[in-house]
């Protein structure tokens, strides 16, 4: 059973370009979380998605950032018109769907995408 | 908003020593995670717990819900345990607020 996959692992973009980060959850997982780790800072929650549905985007910057998790294919975190401050490691995690009255499942992390904006 | 505090921020110890890392949080939670981040950056989930104690190999995690406090212990520490250990809490119980809130991490170095 493959773990959470993220690609690319490293991404370099010039200021003003778009960055697309992909996350394929573990098999059987339908919940995806995106986190950002700025240099020398801790991890911060960005967004929580189920397939075709954004559940919680309270951690997403109001502009330029968007996320989706379509019915088919990976979850995408999209950053438009990147700026130097977007340089960070972006981690995706996945968990199974809540079932049987049990809501809290462990989150499994991907290896991260390191975005560098030049 | 939950505040997560870890201590110590940095810890250097000799191989074989017993290690304790502490985590306190301010608001009731549904689960607490201990994560390990190696110098390469990858994150591994060590434990998820909502009560009591869990053990895996040389690692032990405990949580006291009333005191809003958790500890991660490493017995017979080894240089390969050197990493950043991160405490993260989950406030939601499904349907929202399920993203984790993280502590700043404890940088652990085990010297041979």
């Amino acid at each position: 059973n493959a773990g959470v996959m993220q690609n690319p692992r490293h991404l370099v973009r010039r200021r003003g370009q778009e960055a697309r980060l992909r996350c394929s959850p573990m098999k059987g997982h339908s919940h995806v979380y995106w986190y950002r780790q700025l240099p020398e800072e801790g991890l911060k929650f960005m967004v929580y998605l189920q397939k075709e549905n954004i559940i919680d985007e309270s951690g997403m910057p109001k502009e330029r950032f968007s996320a989706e998790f379509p019915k088919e294919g990976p979850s995408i975190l999209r950053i438009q018109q990147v700026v130097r401050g977007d340089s960070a490691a972006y981690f995706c995690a996945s968990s199974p769907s809540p079932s049987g009255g049990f809501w809290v499942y462990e989150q499994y992390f991907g290896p991260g995408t390191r975005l560098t904006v030049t | 908003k939950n505040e997560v505090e870890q201590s110590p921020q940095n810890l250097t110890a000799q191989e074989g020593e017993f290690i304790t890392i502490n985590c306190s949080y301010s608001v009731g939670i549904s689960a607490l995670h201990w994560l390990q981040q190696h110098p390469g950056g990858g994150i591994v989930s060590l434990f998820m717990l909502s009560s009591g104690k869990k053990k895996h190999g040389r690692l032990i995690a405990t949580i006291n819900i009333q005191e809003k406090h958790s500890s991660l212990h490493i017995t017979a520490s080894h240089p390969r345990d050197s990493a950043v250990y991160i405490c993260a809490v989950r406030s939601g119980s499904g349907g929202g607020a399920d993203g984790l809130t993280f502590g700043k991490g404890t940088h652990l170095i085990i010297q041979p």
Side-chain angles (χ1 to χ4, degrees):
Chain A
N1 189 8
V4 178
M5 312 278 282
Q6 286 188 251
N7 68 79
R9 294 291 303 276
H10 300 273
L11 181 61
V12 179
R13 284 286 177 266
R14 290 202 180 101
R15 276 182 300 168
Q17 290 185 317
E18 178 180 285
R20 278 184 180 243
L21 288 62
R22 292 175 187 77
C23 169
S24 297
M26 285 181 71
K27 189 176 179 181
H29 287 191
S30 59
H31 291 212
V32 164
Y33 310 80
W34 284 96
Y35 299 97
R36 177 166 67 172
Q37 187 173 37
L38 291 166
E40 306 304 320
E41 291 190 23
L43 287 146
K44 295 276 196 309
F45 167 74
M46 298 182 77
V47 62
Y48 164 36
L49 310 106
Q50 296 174 13
K51 280 195 183 287
E52 300 184 285
N53 198 12
I54 296 174
I55 304 301
D56 181 357
E57 56 182 345
S58 58
M60 286 278 268
K62 293 286 185 278
E63 296 176 349
R64 301 188 297 108
F65 284 72
S66 62
E68 63 176 8
F69 189 14
K71 189 176 179 182
E72 301 290 337
S75 174
I76 307 283
L77 178 68
R78 183 178 174 217
I79 311 172
Q80 294 179 289
Q81 299 175 314
V82 296
V83 300
R84 289 224 173 94
D86 297 332
S87 296
Y90 292 82
F91 290 93
C92 161
S94 73
S95 68
S97 300
S99 64
F102 186 66
W103 286 98
V104 183
Y105 283 96
E106 190 159 358
Q107 294 183 20
Y108 295 83
F109 283 79
T113 293
R114 274 146 192 83
L115 172 66
T116 302
V117 179
T118 61
Chain B
K1 185 176 182 293
N2 222 330
E3 303 288 336
V4 181
E5 299 285 338
Q6 281 187 242
S7 63
Q9 275 189 295
N10 298 285
L11 178 57
T12 300
Q14 294 298 121
E15 184 173 357
E17 285 190 39
F18 181 80
I19 304 299
T20 295
I21 299 170
N22 296 300
C23 174
S24 297
Y25 51 93
S26 57
V27 179
I29 61 171
S30 56
L32 182 144
H33 297 247
W34 280 103
L35 308 168
Q36 180 190 57
Q37 187 171 29
H38 275 283
I43 295 173
V44 174
S45 180
L46 299 175
F47 295 103
M48 184 189 78
L49 63 167
S50 51
S51 65
K53 177 179 172 178
K54 285 190 176 180
K55 184 176 189 291
H56 181 68
R58 296 180 293 107
L59 300 176
I60 303 166
T62 64
I63 188 168
N64 185 318
I65 297 295
Q66 286 74 31
E67 294 186 5
K68 296 187 176 63
H69 179 268
S70 175
S71 293
L72 176 69
H73 305 285
I74 306 175
T75 61
S77 59
H78 189 276
R80 65 173 174 266
D81 297 326
S82 299
V84 177
Y85 291 84
I86 303 168
C87 170
V89 300
R90 180 171 182 164
S91 301
S93 56
D98 289 311
L100 299 176
T101 301
F102 299 85
K104 287 187 164 55
T106 294
H107 293 246
L108 174 65
I109 297 173
I110 304 296
Q111 294 177 336

